[in-house]
Amino acid sequence: MTTNQKTIAYIQDLFESKKFIPLHEPCFRGNEKKYLNDTIDSTFVSSIGAYVDTFELMMQNITNTKKAVAVVNGTAGIQVALRLVGVKTGNEVLTQALTFIATANAIAYNNAHPVFLDVDRDTMGLSTVAVRNFLEEYGDLRQDGCYNKKTGNKIAACLPMHTFGFPVRIDELVEICSAWNIPVVEDAAESLGSELKGKPTGSFGQLGVFSFNGNKVVTCGGGGAIVSNTLALGEKAKYLTTTAKQPHPYEYYHDEMGYNFRMPNLNAALACAQLENLDSFLENKRILAKSYQTFFDGENIKFRTELPETKANYWLMCVEMENREQRDLFLKETNASGVMTRPIWQLMYKLPMYKDCIRDEQLNAEFLEDRIVNIPSSVR
C-alpha cells in the first residue's frame, strides 16, 4: 500500500466509517436541545435573553477576561474590534497573508489597508521577525502613533491570527507593537481553548475575537465573541454591536453609527450547551492528535504538533508534505475516497481584491501554502 492508501485506511478506522468523513463536524451530546427548547418556551429567541448573558459570562471565565460580548459572527467581531482600537479610513493594519479571508475582509470593512507580513513556519502565524523588520524599515513613531514612512499612512493596528488553533507568539508581538504604539487585536477565531504560557489566547491583545461557526470546536451555527481586559473597550463593543442605542424604557435614540451584530438568544443557548463540554472536546481532540502523531511518524509525513509553552486546541489538525506535488496527490486521493482533506488557504495577496496590498517576501507563507493539508479533526 502507498502512504496515501495507508492514511485513508487509518482515518476510516479512526472514525469507523468507509463512507464520507468530514473535516470537522459539530458534536451535540449535551444540553443543546433542552436549552433551545427553553428559548422557544420563553419566546425570547432574538437578541435579548438569558442565554446571551450566560454565554458572555462563560466566555469571560474561559478567556480570563473582564468583558465578553456576543456577536453574530467572528468577522463582524474583528471589524468592530479594529474600529474600537482606532482603525479609520486610509489606515494600515499589519497582518498575515496566510489566513482565512475574514481577517483581511474585516480590515477592508473599516476602509483600511491590510499590510501582509510573513509568518513563522513553526506557528504558521504572524512572524515577530517580519513585524520587527518592517517597523524598523518603514515605521515612523510620532506623537499620535506609528506611520508608514513610505505611504504616509498611519499603522493603526496589528492583527495576528492563531492559525488552526496553534498559538502565535502573541506575547512578543504585543511587546513589539507596544514599543511602536500600535494596538494589537487577536484574531482568535480558531483558537478557543488554546493557551500560551498558561494564558488563554484572545486575552493578550487589547481585544480578542472568537468564532463559533459550524465547523469550530464549539459551535452555535454562527456566532462570535469579542473579549477584552479593558472594561471600557468591552462595554463600547457591546454598545456598538447593539446598534449604538442609548438605554431608555421606550425611546429610540442612537448617538453614533452602530451595527446590528447581535447574537440571537437561540444561538447563545446552543453555545452555552457547547461550552459546557469544551473541556471534554479538547481532551478528545488531544487524544486524536496523539494518534495521528504516532501514525504519521511511521509514514514519514510531518504531523503538526503544539510548540513548547503552548497548548493548542487542535481545531484543524494538519500535516506538512514535502512539496506541492505530494500535497496535490494527497488531496486528490483522500477526497476521492470520501476522506475530506483541504489545503491551507490561498495567500491573500493572490486574490484579486488584495493583489495590490503592501507585502514582504512571504518566504515562509509560500512554503506552507505549498505543503500544509488539513485532515479530519472532528470530536469522536
Side-chain angles (χ1 to χ4, degrees):
M1 293 177 71
T2 66
T3 295
N4 289 353
Q5 290 171 334
K6 290 179 184 177
T7 301
I8 291 164
Y10 183 74
I11 292 174
Q12 289 173 335
D13 287 342
L14 273 178
F15 290 92
E16 300 178 347
S17 175
K18 300 294 183 183
K19 298 179 180 180
F20 178 70
I21 301 172
L23 196 63
H24 197 291
E25 64 180 349
C27 177
F28 302 119
R29 61 186 185 198
N31 289 311
E32 287 88 356
K33 290 182 180 179
K34 177 181 183 300
Y35 292 172
L36 286 171
N37 284 332
D38 287 346
T39 63
I40 293 169
D41 291 342
S42 73
T43 73
F44 288 95
V45 296
S46 191
S47 55
I48 296 175
Y51 283 107
V52 174
D53 298 334
T54 300
F55 168 74
E56 291 179 338
L57 289 173
M58 293 177 80
M59 282 301 296
Q60 285 174 219
N61 291 332
I62 290 168
T63 60
N64 194 24
T65 53
K66 294 180 180 178
K67 181 69 175 178
V69 178
V71 291
V72 67
N73 56 54
T75 311
I78 299 171
Q79 178 183 346
V80 173
L82 290 172
R83 175 177 165 181
L84 285 166
V85 298
V87 174
K88 296 181 174 62
T89 297
N91 290 168
E92 295 175 1
V93 177
L94 308 181
T95 192
Q96 57 201 71
L98 189 73
T99 187
F100 181 58
I101 188 67
T103 309
N105 282 349
I107 296 169
Y109 295 157
N110 283 284
N111 299 308
H113 308 296
V115 174
F116 296 121
L117 303 181
D118 207 358
V119 296
D120 289 324
R121 287 193 189 183
D122 54 0
T123 68
M124 299 180 286
L126 188 61
S127 168
T128 55
V129 173
V131 171
R132 184 181 289 110
N133 289 345
F134 182 85
L135 290 172
E136 288 177 353
E137 183 172 358
Y138 297 106
D140 179 18
L141 191 56
R142 304 178 189 174
Q143 189 172 3
D144 64 335
C146 183
Y147 286 76
N148 186 326
K149 292 177 186 178
K150 186 173 182 179
T151 64
N153 297 328
K154 186 175 185 179
I155 303 173
C158 178
L159 180 62
M161 197 266 284
H162 301 287
T163 305
F164 304 140
F166 293 98
V168 72
R169 292 182 173 87
I170 186 63
D171 55 342
E172 297 177 30
L173 288 170
V174 169
E175 183 178 2
I176 293 167
C177 290
S178 179
W180 288 90
N181 197 18
I182 299 172
V184 174
V185 173
E186 286 178 74
D187 182 346
E190 302 172 356
S191 67
L192 183 67
S194 298
E195 298 177 358
L196 173 65
K197 299 176 182 178
K199 185 176 179 180
T201 57
S203 66
F204 288 84
Q206 289 199 24
L207 298 123
V209 182
F210 294 88
S211 169
F212 299 89
N213 190 36
N215 65 350
K216 295 298 190 293
V217 176
V218 164
T219 183
C220 54
I226 303 170
V227 299
S228 181
N229 271 311
T230 302
L231 192 58
L233 282 176
E235 290 175 344
K236 187 66 178 288
K238 184 70 171 180
Y239 175 66
L240 288 178
T241 56
T242 54
T243 71
K245 180 181 180 295
Q246 287 285 351
H248 192 278
Y250 49 85
E251 292 285 0
Y252 292 90
Y253 180 71
H254 310 258
D255 60 357
E256 62 179 304
M257 186 189 75
Y259 311 91
N260 187 7
F261 286 169
R262 300 169 290 185
M263 178 189 284
N265 198 38
L266 276 170
N267 296 83
L270 193 59
C272 288
Q274 288 271 286
L275 288 175
E276 289 175 349
N277 281 311
L278 176 60
D279 288 344
S280 66
F281 288 170
L282 294 175
E283 181 58 29
N284 181 289
K285 290 173 77 64
R286 295 184 73 79
I287 293 170
L288 177 60
K290 186 64 177 177
S291 298
Y292 273 139
Q293 183 179 4
T294 301
F295 171 78
F296 284 111
D297 278 348
E299 296 301 320
N300 297 316
I301 292 177
K302 183 178 180 181
F303 177 75
R304 286 292 188 129
T305 59
E306 61 195 7
L307 298 176
E309 298 189 292
T310 73
K311 181 179 180 181
N313 67 359
Y314 286 105
W315 168 52
L316 284 186
M317 300 177 206
C318 55
V319 291
E320 180 184 316
M321 301 297 174
E322 291 182 358
N323 50 50
R324 195 177 189 98
E325 182 180 4
Q326 186 190 24
R327 185 205 78 158
D328 290 347
L329 182 62
F330 185 88
L331 286 165
K332 179 181 179 180
E333 293 187 353
T334 51
N335 282 286
S337 298
V339 175
M340 186 176 178
T341 58
R342 288 293 182 268
I344 207 166
W345 314 280
Q346 289 192 36
L347 301 180
M348 292 298 101
Y349 57 82
K350 295 183 179 180
L351 305 180
M353 54 283 201
Y354 298 119
K355 63 182 177 64
D356 297 324
C357 290
I358 298 169
R359 63 180 176 90
D360 60 10
E361 288 188 294
Q362 301 287 311
L363 297 179
N364 292 333
E366 292 187 354
F367 176 92
L368 293 168
E369 183 190 33
D370 285 342
R371 292 165 174 81
I372 295 297
V373 176
N374 293 126
I375 57 179
S377 308
S378 305
V379 172
R380 294 177 297 160

